[in-house]
Protein backbone atom coordinates (compact mmCIF):
# COMPACT_ATOMS: atom_id res chain seq x y z
CA UNK A 1 0.00 0.00 0.00
CA UNK A 2 0.80 3.59 0.59
CA UNK A 3 3.63 4.41 2.98
CA UNK A 4 2.02 5.65 6.13
CA UNK A 5 3.36 8.78 7.71
CA UNK A 6 3.33 8.54 11.48
CA UNK A 7 1.29 11.75 11.58
CA UNK A 8 -1.60 10.23 9.49
CA UNK A 9 -4.32 8.79 11.67
CA UNK A 10 -5.64 5.30 11.09
CA UNK A 11 -9.07 6.65 10.09
CA UNK A 12 -7.56 8.81 7.35
CA UNK A 13 -5.47 5.88 6.16
CA UNK A 14 -8.60 3.68 6.09
CA UNK A 15 -10.40 6.34 4.04
CA UNK A 16 -7.49 6.52 1.58
CA UNK A 17 -7.49 2.75 1.17
CA UNK A 18 -11.27 2.78 0.58
CA UNK A 19 -10.98 5.50 -2.07
CA UNK A 20 -8.24 3.59 -3.89
CA UNK A 21 -10.46 0.53 -4.40
CA UNK A 22 -12.41 0.41 -7.68
CA UNK A 23 -15.95 1.71 -7.30
CA UNK A 24 -17.46 -0.75 -9.75
CA UNK A 25 -16.49 -4.30 -10.55
CA UNK A 26 -15.06 -4.79 -14.04
CA UNK A 27 -17.65 -5.12 -16.80
CA UNK A 28 -16.62 -8.70 -17.59
CA UNK A 29 -18.08 -9.81 -14.26
CA UNK A 30 -21.53 -8.67 -15.43
CA UNK A 31 -21.31 -9.93 -19.00
CA UNK A 32 -22.37 -13.50 -19.69
CA UNK A 33 -21.81 -14.75 -23.20
CA UNK A 34 -24.89 -16.91 -23.71
CA UNK A 35 -25.30 -16.20 -27.42
CA UNK A 36 -24.68 -19.85 -28.35
CA UNK A 37 -27.36 -20.98 -25.89
CA UNK A 38 -29.84 -18.57 -27.47
CA UNK A 39 -29.22 -20.12 -30.88
CA UNK A 40 -29.90 -23.65 -29.66
CA UNK A 41 -33.36 -24.95 -30.52
CA UNK A 42 -35.06 -26.03 -27.34
CA UNK A 43 -36.72 -29.41 -27.55
CA UNK A 44 -40.31 -29.49 -26.25
CA UNK A 45 -40.96 -31.38 -23.04
CA UNK A 46 -42.42 -34.80 -24.00
CA UNK A 47 -44.66 -34.67 -20.91
CA UNK A 48 -46.17 -31.35 -21.95
CA UNK A 49 -49.84 -31.63 -22.93
CA UNK A 50 -50.53 -31.49 -26.65
CA UNK A 51 -53.02 -28.95 -28.06
CA UNK A 52 -56.41 -30.35 -28.90
CA UNK A 53 -59.11 -29.28 -31.34
CA UNK A 54 -59.02 -27.39 -34.59
CA UNK A 55 -56.84 -24.41 -35.25
CA UNK A 56 -58.79 -21.18 -35.34
CA UNK A 57 -58.34 -18.36 -37.81
CA UNK A 58 -59.13 -14.70 -37.54
CA UNK A 59 -62.22 -13.71 -39.49
CA UNK A 60 -62.75 -10.30 -40.95
CA UNK A 61 -66.16 -8.95 -40.16
CA UNK A 62 -68.06 -5.99 -41.46
CA UNK A 63 -66.44 -2.63 -40.88
CA UNK A 64 -67.84 -0.72 -37.96
CA UNK A 65 -69.97 2.25 -38.78
CA UNK A 66 -68.75 5.64 -37.71
CA UNK A 67 -70.58 6.71 -34.58
CA UNK A 68 -69.96 10.19 -33.26
CA UNK A 69 -70.64 9.46 -29.58
CA UNK A 70 -68.11 6.65 -29.18
CA UNK A 71 -65.58 7.10 -26.38
CA UNK A 72 -62.06 8.05 -27.49
CA UNK A 73 -60.41 4.94 -26.04
CA UNK A 74 -61.13 1.41 -24.87
CA UNK A 75 -60.58 2.45 -21.27
CA UNK A 76 -63.09 5.27 -21.62
CA UNK A 77 -65.58 2.87 -23.24
CA UNK A 78 -65.21 0.40 -20.36
CA UNK A 79 -65.63 3.23 -17.87
CA UNK A 80 -68.82 4.42 -19.58
CA UNK A 81 -70.22 0.89 -19.87
CA UNK A 82 -69.37 0.17 -16.24
CA UNK A 83 -71.21 3.23 -14.98
CA UNK A 84 -74.28 2.69 -17.17
CA UNK A 85 -74.43 -1.13 -16.80
CA UNK A 86 -72.79 -1.95 -13.42
CA UNK A 87 -74.46 -5.39 -13.10
CA UNK A 88 -73.42 -6.57 -16.58
CA UNK A 89 -70.92 -9.46 -16.54
CA UNK A 90 -67.38 -8.35 -17.30
CA UNK A 91 -65.38 -11.54 -16.75
CA UNK A 92 -66.34 -15.12 -15.98
CA UNK A 93 -64.01 -17.71 -14.48
CA UNK A 94 -64.60 -21.33 -15.50
CA UNK A 95 -63.55 -24.53 -13.78
CA UNK A 96 -61.93 -27.44 -15.63
CA UNK A 97 -65.32 -28.77 -16.76
CA UNK A 98 -66.34 -25.44 -18.28
CA UNK A 99 -68.81 -24.54 -15.55
CA UNK A 100 -68.88 -20.88 -14.48
CA UNK A 101 -67.54 -20.61 -10.93
CA UNK A 102 -67.34 -16.83 -10.60
CA UNK A 103 -68.62 -13.89 -12.61
CA UNK A 104 -67.15 -10.44 -12.16
CA UNK A 105 -69.42 -7.52 -12.97
CA UNK A 106 -68.46 -3.99 -13.91
CA UNK A 107 -69.84 -2.71 -10.61
CA UNK A 108 -67.48 -4.93 -8.62
Amino acid sequence: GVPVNSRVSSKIQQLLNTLKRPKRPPLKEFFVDDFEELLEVQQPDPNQPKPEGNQTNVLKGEPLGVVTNWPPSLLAALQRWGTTQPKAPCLTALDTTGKAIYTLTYGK
Side-chain angles (χ1 to χ4, degrees), residues 11-107:
K11 287 188 178 184
I12 292 174
Q13 185 62 43
Q14 185 179 7
L15 177 63
L16 283 172
N17 291 339
T18 303
L19 292 174
K20 284 180 16 179
R21 275 189 249 137
K23 292 182 179 141
R24 294 186 186 135
L27 186 59
K28 64 182 176 182
E29 292 182 20
F30 291 108
F31 181 71
V32 177
D33 190 10
D34 58 354
F35 183 70
E36 295 299 323
E37 290 178 19
L38 293 174
L39 292 178
E40 291 178 12
V41 176
Q42 296 209 353
Q43 298 300 321
D45 182 5
N47 298 326
Q48 185 177 8
K50 305 289 184 241
E52 298 177 5
N54 297 330
Q55 185 174 358
T56 59
N57 295 319
V58 177
L59 296 176
K60 284 199 169 199
E62 297 176 16
L64 297 173
V66 177
V67 180
T68 56
N69 62 350
W70 278 6
S73 68
L74 177 61
L75 189 58
L78 290 172
Q79 170 95 33
R80 182 188 294 178
W81 182 257
T83 54
T84 59
Q85 304 289 328
K87 296 197 186 260
C90 171
L91 180 109
T92 301
L94 305 175
D95 65 5
T96 55
T97 62
K99 181 180 173 188
I101 56 173
Y102 185 75
T103 300
L104 180 68
T105 63
Y106 287 96

